[in-house]
Amino acid sequence: MHKLVKRLLIIIASASAIGVMTMNAQPAQAKTTKVKRTAYHANKGNIYTSTSLNQVRAKAKTYQNTTLYVTKHATLKQNGKKKVFYYIDSKKVQGWLWRGYLKAGKATPSVAAMNPAMAKQFVAQTNKYRAAKGMQPVSLDPARMALLKAYKVWFKNDDVDDDAFGLESGKVGLPTDELFSTYAPITNKYDLKNSKRMSQYAVETFMIIGNEQPDYKDADALNPKTTKIGVSWFEVKGKVYTMLLTNLYY
């Protein structure tokens, strides 16, 4: 009986020792180095929740138009290899991203990413001018906006391909035999600076003449018969264009 008790005590003691050894074998916390808050941007890679790199918080491409501010560095092991990761501490996302995916400098939103904001600004200014003339407001037409998104199909060699344009028009339920577009290239670097400037460029191009007065009587956007419009900005071969579609038929 005494021998059995001794054996049990030995087993318990051994198990306790193993437990202590296991606890002592826990991996040490990764050493991080604080750095001056610096702007970066990225369009690929996983952003991890912690230095253990075992849980992905987000894909960097989701924030490719967002400036990511780095505040810490750490050398971590991933797949058996040591890599330097940067800690992102931005309003929209926080976490660890491999430095190879990061590029120095603030993010510059793509023209496509800025389109919704620019269209909203353009419509607001259009309706302000129309109200001053006693006209009813216009609205963005989903069909015309869908047609503008297909610009890669019908905008070729710096011009509108009438046949392709008509075909794409039919796909979104618009007339296939009439061209009702106005477009212009944006070449001034100041106008390309941000969404506000590009939107204003479209306003000036499609509605304003002379001393920046909304008195361009031939402007489609200010025609009383115009009720629906589509407006977009897109980039083709390094050039940025703005285009306006209305419901006027000539």
Side-chain angles (χ1 to χ4, degrees):
M1 187 70 180
H2 292 292
K3 289 183 179 179
L4 179 60
V5 172
K6 286 182 180 179
R7 285 177 183 174
L8 286 173
L9 289 174
I10 292 171
I11 291 171
I12 293 170
S14 299
S16 298
I18 292 171
V20 171
M21 289 173 64
T22 302
M23 290 175 65
N24 292 337
Q26 291 292 323
Q29 291 293 318
K31 184 179 179 181
T32 61
T33 303
K34 290 184 178 180
V35 295
K36 182 181 177 181
R37 193 167 184 265
T38 307
Y40 287 85
H41 59 280
N43 58 16
K44 62 180 180 179
N46 293 327
I47 299 174
Y48 295 92
T49 58
S50 68
T51 54
S52 61
L53 307 179
N54 58 8
Q55 185 176 353
V56 176
R57 171 161 287 159
K59 298 286 186 182
K61 66 179 180 181
T62 304
Y63 301 96
Q64 59 185 324
N65 297 313
T66 301
T67 299
L68 307 173
Y69 289 94
V70 168
T71 59
K72 292 184 287 189
H73 295 177
T75 300
L76 309 174
K77 268 193 175 184
Q78 187 179 48
N79 299 324
K81 295 181 180 179
K82 287 186 177 181
K83 295 181 179 180
V84 176
F85 279 73
Y86 287 2
Y87 181 73
I88 298 161
D89 187 10
S90 301
K91 288 183 178 180
K92 292 186 177 181
V93 66
Q94 298 81 39
W96 294 90
L97 179 64
W98 177 52
R99 69 175 176 182
Y101 292 135
L102 285 157
K103 296 180 180 179
K106 293 184 177 181
T108 302
S110 66
V111 175
M114 291 190 287
N115 248 303
M118 292 190 290
K120 184 178 180 180
Q121 292 165 9
F122 181 85
V123 171
Q125 191 62 62
T126 300
N127 287 332
K128 182 178 179 180
Y129 290 161
R130 288 176 69 88
K133 290 176 172 288
M135 299 179 190
Q136 293 296 311
V138 296
S139 59
L140 287 175
D141 175 35
R144 287 169 175 77
M145 294 301 286
L147 177 58
L148 285 167
K149 286 184 178 180
Y151 70 88
K152 290 182 180 180
V153 177
W154 48 259
F155 196 82
K156 301 174 181 178
N157 301 319
D158 301 330
D159 201 357
V160 176
D161 182 323
D162 294 0
D163 293 334
F165 185 87
L167 183 62
E168 293 302 314
S169 295
K171 290 181 180 180
V172 294
L174 294 172
T176 61
D177 57 351
E178 301 202 37
L179 186 66
F180 42 103
S181 65
T182 308
Y183 67 93
I186 307 176
T187 56
N188 190 308
K189 288 185 178 180
Y190 177 69
D191 292 327
L192 291 167
K193 190 175 181 180
N194 53 46
S195 63
K196 187 175 181 180
R197 281 304 313 155
M198 282 198 277
S199 177
Q200 184 58 32
Y201 174 85
V203 169
E204 294 170 0
T205 299
F206 301 137
M207 289 184 280
I208 298 176
I209 192 171
N211 188 27
E212 295 195 355
Q213 298 299 316
D215 56 4
Y216 186 20
K217 64 180 181 180
D218 294 325
D220 292 345
L222 301 180
N223 190 304
K225 295 180 180 179
T226 298
T227 58
K228 298 178 181 180
I229 67 171
V231 62
S232 184
W233 295 254
F234 51 86
E235 188 173 0
V236 177
K237 295 180 180 178
K239 293 182 181 179
V240 178
Y241 296 84
T242 180
M243 178 170 280
L244 173 69
L245 301 181
T246 72
N247 63 311
L248 296 179
Y249 307 113
Y250 300 104

